[in-house]
Amino acid sequence: MAAVSLKCGDCGTLLKSVEEAQEHAELTSHSNFAESTETVLNLVCSTCGKPCRSKTESDLHTKRTGHTEFVDKTLEAAKPISLEVPKAADAGADGAVDASTSQSEEMVVPEVDKKLLEELEAMGFSTARATRALHYSGNASLEAAVNWVVEHENDTDIDQMPLVPANTNVEASKPSLTPEELKAKQQELRERARKKKEEEEKRTEREREKERIRVGKELLEAKRIEEENERKRILALRKAEKEEERRAREKIRQKLEEDKAERRRKLGLPPEDTSAVKSSAPVVEEKKSSLPIRPATRVEQMRECLRSLKQNYKDDDAKVKRAFQTLLTFVGNVAKNPDEEKFRKIRLTNQSFQERVGALKGGVEFLELCGFEKQEGGEFLIMSRDKVDMVVLNSAGSELDSAIKNPFFGVL
């Protein structure tokens, strides 16, 4: 099989022609070349048209641009390699005609400044577009090539590799700037790109800061609204507690007045002088005295008993809460199982009972208001089956539940 490439024995690079081998030798000082049947890859990017000579080069192009689709045209361009260096045409008359004819048919890619080409490829331009821009801008500078691309980006052949006759004077394609001027121009372009990147980063940071401020304000406003709602809720609870306290005191006052009037009647004393009280008071008292007030009185006594218990042990909320829950358990067991004798009998000397309820002033009194009575020498609290009153037990359960759940019970 005929050789289709030259392979560098020092680094393994495949080269398409003798000219490329010479350039490789000048750049790397490698001199060990041999013919090879391996073809130089020709992977063309489907997106931008950039040709890649190897898998490594295509991977680098993908990493830099994000383009992943390549067309393999290696076999289309593969042909036996010529080991002869092209010679200049003879000046003879006969030879001039033949050389002119052959060179007019041979078109080659124009030579451009390789450093500028690498710079443009690093900026994301395809090899064909970068070569065309450098060729038609006279290899003047990187900025001139970029300006040419901007002006001709809508050309249909913008991504086609330019071709020129082989006898074109290559000197015309060399950059007109000195190396120092070219280096300064490249530095200027890099500085512009750096400043543009910094400005973009600053703008992005400003946007992020604005977003952080906006989110912070929203969180503060949400917290303020939550605190305001909590404050209103607490005020409403305190108001309800005060109203409950006022109604309870009013009922107790009315009951005291009724008891006082009843005692005066039993003693045969005349009614209290109406000049010391409101004119409407006797009528109201007379009406209330005719109503069955016994259940309401017991409920109020239960509430007052619980309030007194909490006031006496206000420095130990855990003990008060445990006592309320224990009382609720005793009352609930009897209400749920009125026929079970074990729930209607409590040993007063039981240590657990003493720690939770018995030793607390008001605990045993509350159970007696529910219907329990001391029996058997005062050792037990017993509620006989015929003394089980579901209305009283339910009222006691409601009062205990309110005392447990209401954080302001007995405080105001």
Side-chain angles (χ1 to χ4, degrees), residues 16-297:
K16 291 183 178 180
S17 63
V18 175
E19 292 87 343
E20 289 189 1
Q22 291 175 345
E23 292 179 1
H24 182 75
E26 292 175 1
L27 293 173
T28 62
S29 299
H30 297 167
S31 58
N32 183 16
F33 297 95
E35 298 181 42
S36 174
T37 57
E38 298 181 45
T39 57
V40 180
L41 295 180
N42 184 20
L43 304 176
V44 181
C45 179
S46 302
T47 304
C48 64
K50 173 179 171 56
C52 299
R53 297 164 58 93
S54 64
K55 187 66 169 61
T56 301
E57 188 175 346
S58 66
D59 291 341
L60 290 174
H61 180 70
T62 300
K63 185 177 181 180
R64 185 170 61 249
T65 64
H67 303 164
T68 58
E69 298 294 332
F70 294 89
V71 178
D72 191 352
K73 295 185 178 182
T74 303
L75 297 179
E76 298 178 10
K79 61 181 179 179
I81 189 171
S82 174
L83 300 178
E84 296 183 2
V85 179
K87 298 180 180 179
D90 296 335
D94 295 338
V97 175
D98 295 337
S100 176
T101 303
S102 61
Q103 289 177 355
S104 63
E105 296 177 354
E106 183 179 1
M107 303 293 287
V108 296
V109 177
E111 293 185 7
V112 295
D113 188 272
K114 289 183 172 56
K115 292 183 178 180
L116 295 180
L117 181 62
E118 291 176 358
E119 291 284 343
L120 289 172
E121 289 179 345
M123 295 171 65
F125 296 108
S126 65
T127 302
R129 182 174 294 199
T131 303
R132 181 176 288 272
L134 288 171
H135 172 67
Y136 286 109
S137 63
N139 278 326
S141 65
L142 189 64
E143 184 177 10
V146 173
N147 291 336
W148 187 92
V149 171
V150 173
E151 294 173 0
H152 297 81
E153 62 181 353
N154 295 325
D155 294 355
T156 57
D157 58 349
I158 186 67
D159 289 315
Q160 294 180 8
M161 188 68 74
L163 299 175
V164 296
N167 62 347
T168 300
N169 185 8
V170 297
E171 295 296 329
S173 63
K174 293 183 179 180
S176 59
L177 300 177
T178 63
E180 292 76 11
E181 293 175 338
L182 183 60
K183 185 176 181 180
K185 203 69 175 178
Q186 292 174 348
Q187 184 63 28
E188 181 183 354
L189 290 173
R190 292 193 189 97
E191 187 65 20
R192 289 182 184 178
R194 184 185 64 79
K195 289 182 178 180
K196 183 176 181 181
K197 183 178 180 181
E198 289 179 354
E199 291 176 358
E200 182 66 21
E201 290 177 351
K202 289 180 180 179
R203 185 189 65 80
T204 303
E205 183 61 27
R206 286 196 298 269
E207 294 295 329
R208 289 176 180 172
E209 184 63 24
K210 289 180 181 179
E211 182 66 15
R212 284 195 292 269
I213 293 174
R214 184 187 66 80
V215 173
K217 288 182 178 179
E218 290 182 355
L219 291 175
L220 288 176
E221 181 64 16
K223 185 177 181 181
R224 186 192 65 79
I225 293 174
E226 183 180 358
E227 291 176 350
E228 180 67 17
N229 291 336
E230 181 66 15
R231 186 181 66 82
K232 291 180 179 179
R233 187 184 69 81
I234 293 175
L235 289 177
L237 286 174
R238 289 179 178 176
K239 185 177 180 181
E241 179 67 17
K242 288 181 179 180
E243 181 64 22
E244 179 186 2
E245 186 80 13
R246 186 191 63 78
R247 289 197 301 266
R249 290 180 178 178
E250 180 64 22
K251 290 181 179 179
I252 292 174
R253 185 189 63 80
Q254 292 177 0
K255 180 62 174 65
L256 292 175
E257 291 179 357
E258 291 174 1
D259 291 344
K260 184 178 179 180
E262 182 65 22
R263 286 196 300 270
R264 292 180 68 88
R265 282 194 296 271
K266 289 181 178 180
L267 295 173
L269 298 175
E272 190 176 0
D273 189 3
T274 57
S275 61
V277 296
K278 295 181 180 179
S279 58
S280 59
V283 178
V284 175
E285 292 295 332
E286 184 65 25
K287 287 184 177 180
K288 283 187 173 285
S289 62
S290 63
L291 295 177
I293 61 174
R294 190 61 180 174
T297 300

